[in-house]
Amino acid sequence: MSTDPDFALLSAWRRGDQAAGRRLLKTYFRSLYLFFSNKVAGDVSDLVQLTMLGCVEGRDRIREDGSFKAYLLGVARHRLYDHFAARARVGREAIASTPAQTLGPSPSSIVARKQQQRRLLAALREIPLELQVVLELHYWEDLSTMDLARVLGVPQGTAKSRLRRARQVLHEALLRVEPTLHGRTSAADLDRWARSIREELEIRGLGER
């Protein structure tokens, strides 16, 4: 049995406590809004609502051997890929390997004040969508590799390898965005810049509705 306190709310929801269900989904509304906002241009409310609806419909099938947050973000990932796949008329595997900037216009919901943050956001959209998802969930949602594995539907070892690969690919993309950073940017810099974006979003309250 999971020790995740979210599952106490889930249990109450399953017993018919609709207030518990609303509270549970409200807790993660901001995370869902942020997840879609840096990948999809325009209003992402429909995708957020579709994700929540998927959770409502599948609440009796949710396994309690992980975190509820990882489950919900896994549903969000499927909704995101379905969204792009329908527009591009290709399968999910093709979408996973396609950079977000190729899939549609650049979102305007996330605006960074610092130059290095803007560069990093631009670089994120240059890498394959699956790797962008991995990095954003790691940096902005603090998901462990175990929870990343649940979101991606892969073994934990594969999730660790994918995170390492994502960091490397992001670094290469950042140098394409700003070649003058060559030799001046380390993995620690990337970590710091990525987390600083999350801190700024927390201050500004992005996604709180």
Side-chain angles (χ1 to χ4, degrees), residues 60-205:
D60 292 329
R61 299 190 299 274
I62 300 173
R63 295 170 55 187
E64 299 188 19
D65 59 351
S67 74
F68 177 82
K69 183 178 185 179
Y71 168 80
L72 190 60
L73 289 168
V75 175
R77 172 177 170 269
H78 285 304
R79 291 290 182 261
L80 177 70
Y81 286 18
D82 287 345
H83 168 79
F84 282 133
R87 288 172 174 263
R89 298 182 180 180
V90 297
R92 283 183 179 177
E93 289 187 4
I95 293 300
S97 61
T98 303
Q101 69 175 10
T102 304
L103 295 169
S106 177
S108 58
S109 300
I110 299 180
V111 180
R113 290 179 299 175
K114 297 180 181 178
Q115 188 177 50
Q116 67 264 34
Q117 293 174 338
R118 293 195 295 271
R119 289 168 175 163
L120 194 62
L121 288 171
L124 276 169
R125 287 182 51 78
E126 280 200 5
I127 69 177
L129 182 63
E130 183 84 327
L131 299 185
Q132 180 183 354
V133 167
V134 167
L135 288 170
E136 290 182 4
L137 293 184
H138 173 70
Y139 286 122
W140 297 351
E141 298 300 334
D142 292 322
L143 289 197
S144 65
T145 54
M146 182 176 295
D147 276 342
L148 277 176
R150 292 189 176 98
V151 171
L152 302 176
V154 299
Q156 186 176 6
T158 302
K160 289 180 179 179
S161 298
R162 205 162 291 180
L163 179 57
R164 287 194 297 270
R165 174 62 178 159
R167 282 173 165 150
Q168 177 60 37
V169 172
L170 177 63
H171 185 258
E172 293 167 358
L174 185 61
L175 294 182
R176 290 194 297 272
V177 170
E178 185 48 70
T180 62
L181 293 176
H182 186 75
R184 298 165 46 205
T185 305
S186 66
D189 291 325
L190 292 182
D191 286 357
R192 187 175 66 256
W193 294 348
R195 295 192 186 281
S196 74
I197 294 173
R198 172 58 188 256
E199 291 168 2
E200 182 171 325
L201 296 175
E202 290 283 3
I203 293 171
R204 292 167 54 202

Side-chain angles (χ1 to χ4, degrees), residues 23-92:
R23 179 180 170 189
L24 185 58
L25 295 177
K26 183 178 180 181
T27 298
Y28 294 110
F29 179 88
R30 183 192 176 286
S31 292
L32 293 177
Y33 188 88
L34 178 58
F35 177 83
F36 291 115
S37 291
N38 197 37
K39 304 172 189 67
V40 178
D43 188 4
V44 301
S45 298
D46 286 348
L47 287 167
V48 172
Q49 293 301 324
L50 282 172
T51 301
M52 289 184 170
L53 178 61
C55 182
V56 171
E57 293 174 342
R59 66 183 183 275
D60 292 329
R61 299 190 299 274
I62 300 173
R63 295 170 55 187
E64 299 188 19
D65 59 351
S67 74
F68 177 82
K69 183 178 185 179
Y71 168 80
L72 190 60
L73 289 168
V75 175
R77 172 177 170 269
H78 285 304
R79 291 290 182 261
L80 177 70
Y81 286 18
D82 287 345
H83 168 79
F84 282 133
R87 288 172 174 263
R89 298 182 180 180
V90 297
R92 283 183 179 177

Side-chain angles (χ1 to χ4, degrees), residues 1-19:
M1 180 67 67
S2 172
T3 58
D4 185 343
D6 288 336
F7 284 114
L9 288 174
L10 179 62
S11 296
W13 188 16
R14 284 169 170 164
R15 294 193 300 269
D17 185 343
Q18 298 305 310

